[in-house]
Amino acid sequence: MRYDPGDHIHTLLIAVSGILALLARVRVAPKFVRPLHPRLPPRPSLARDGWLHEPKLDGYRFQIVRMAAALRLHSKSGSDWTKRLSLLAEALAGIRCKSAVIDAELVFPTSEGHPDFRALQAAIGDRTRHHLLAVFAFDFLHHNGKDLPAASPH
C-alpha cells in the first residue's frame, strides 16, 4: 500500500468541517455587544413602518446580558455596572429566558413621566432610590442563543 499524504489531509478536512458544524450549532450569547450608534438617514422615510420619530430618552444607555442564571449590566462602553446597580440587576433577573442581550436606556422618570438626567445621576448614587429607575428596552440583540440582528430582514 502506497502512502498518500492527500488521504490524511482529506481526513483532517472532514474532521475539521465536522467540528465547525458542531460549533455552529452551539448557541452562546456574548458577554457584551458593542452598541451601534444612531445615524441620520439622507432623508426621513415616513412610509417605512409608519414611524415619524423616535423619542430621545435622557438617560444612560446600557445592556442587560442574561446567561443562564447570571445577569450582568454593562454601560455602553462595556463597563460592568452590575454591582453599582445591584437592586436593578436583581429585579431584571426575573426576565424569563435562557440567554439574552438587551440594549436599553436607564432613566429616572419625574412624577409627570419625563426623564430627568440629573435625578438619574443622583439616584444611581443612592441605593434607596434605585426602585424609582425605569428601563426602556429598545433592541433585543440575542435571545436564547439566536443572534436577532442577523436574523432581521433589514
Side-chain angles (χ1 to χ4, degrees):
M1 180 184 262
R2 235 176 82 219
Y3 172 73
D4 184 359
D7 287 343
H8 291 320
I9 292 171
H10 181 71
T11 302
L12 179 64
L13 289 175
I14 290 172
V16 168
S17 65
I19 291 169
L20 290 175
L22 180 64
L23 288 174
R25 284 187 242 139
V26 174
R27 295 178 173 184
V28 177
K31 292 181 181 178
F32 173 75
V33 178
R34 181 97 20 224
L36 297 175
H37 297 287
R39 291 177 287 150
L40 288 174
R43 60 187 175 90
S45 174
L46 300 180
R48 186 177 56 212
D49 299 329
W51 284 92
L52 297 176
H53 74 284
E54 182 175 314
K56 166 66 176 104
L57 298 170
D58 202 7
Y60 284 128
R61 186 170 179 184
F62 76 112
Q63 280 183 10
I64 304 160
V65 179
R66 175 68 180 256
M67 189 67 133
L71 186 126
R72 314 285 317 153
L73 302 177
H74 294 279
S75 69
K76 71 177 179 181
S77 65
S79 298
D80 190 335
W81 279 31
T82 310
K83 287 183 182 176
R84 189 175 194 183
L85 297 169
S86 60
L87 296 177
L88 181 63
E90 287 175 25
L92 293 170
I95 296 171
R96 290 190 275 172
C97 64
K98 293 177 184 173
S99 65
V101 177
I102 304 168
D103 213 353
E105 188 88 6
L106 180 64
V107 300
F108 185 96
T110 64
S111 58
E112 295 85 32
H114 304 291
D116 183 335
F117 189 73
R118 284 188 182 167
L120 171 64
Q121 291 175 312
I124 286 175
D126 180 359
R127 282 179 53 98
T128 65
R129 297 177 68 201
H130 283 188
H131 69 283
L132 300 172
L133 299 174
V135 175
F136 289 86
F138 56 84
D139 202 359
F140 287 76
L141 304 174
H142 294 268
H143 181 255
N144 290 338
K146 293 181 184 173
D147 183 2
L148 298 180
S152 172
H154 300 293

